[in-house]
Amino acid sequence: MAWRRHLPALASAAAGINEASNAWDAVSDSLCDAEGWPLDDKVYGDGKAKRDAEAWKHAEVFLDHGPEVLGGVRAAADGPDYIEGPISDDLRRLRGIDTTLLRAEELRHEWDGVMALMDGSQPSVLHLYQERAEEHRNTEGWHHAHELGYQGAALVRAGEYLAHRADTERLAQTERARVALTRSTHNTHAVPPTSPPFPPASHPPTPGRSR
């Protein structure tokens, strides 16, 4: 279960996405009038851009580690886990995560392509295009990052449960093996050693014939 080593990073990323979303939700209404229009377009836009950038940073963690964990979770979960039990709801939430990861990966690939095209450009030009490309990527990626906030959290919960269950089963197997070995050793010691056979009875020598 090598995939389990990625769980802390994914847990932190999911929390980071939700924190960015909650921080924006806490102030966004105050930046709008009664009808929901921004009071200051720049202030509103800057706040939204900050949320998108922060969320995308955490979404990339899922792109780097999520597929391996997702494959491990699906391999470790069995049929009953999907029907009932502690992670059945979380496993159902993962049905759309493949599409989310795919779309986010397409955005990252597009970003890499833009940066490759701009390789060798003048620093001022490169900075301008990089800034615009980042804003486009982050804006388009917000929807996917937002979905990863709850899909990713479900992936982490399912992974942690399955990893703990595997540990418990492994400890139980080790304990059963220890008990069996102890019982076997005890039984071996309980068998009394076989007594050596008695030596054959000696007969008195036949008296010699007197002359």
Side-chain angles (χ1 to χ4, degrees), residues 2 27 32 41 57 67-68 72 77-78 80 94 97 102 180 189 195:
V27 300
C32 299
D41 289 339
K57 178 181 69 176
E68 182 178 349
D78 52 30
L94 299 181
I97 195 173
L102 176 63
H189 290 166
S195 300

Side-chain angles (χ1 to χ4, degrees), residues 24-112:
W24 171 246
D25 290 342
V27 300
S28 58
D29 288 344
S30 65
L31 300 177
C32 299
D33 60 21
E35 296 180 353
W37 293 98
L39 299 171
D40 187 312
D41 289 339
K42 185 177 186 311
V43 172
Y44 187 88
D46 288 346
K48 195 173 180 180
K50 180 180 178 182
R51 176 203 66 181
D52 296 348
E54 184 69 15
W56 177 259
K57 178 181 69 176
H58 296 298
E60 286 198 316
V61 177
F62 278 97
L63 294 182
D64 293 335
H65 306 298
E68 182 178 349
V69 175
L70 182 61
V73 165
R74 286 174 172 165
D78 52 30
D81 288 324
Y82 287 87
I83 299 172
E84 59 182 2
I87 59 171
S88 57
D89 289 339
D90 288 326
L91 291 174
R92 282 192 287 270
R93 291 188 182 98
L94 299 181
R95 291 172 181 171
I97 195 173
D98 301 87
T99 301
T100 304
L101 291 171
L102 176 63
R103 297 291 181 263
E105 184 59 46
E106 289 174 349
L107 276 177
R108 182 159 72 171
H109 182 71
E110 180 182 330
W111 156 261
D112 291 338

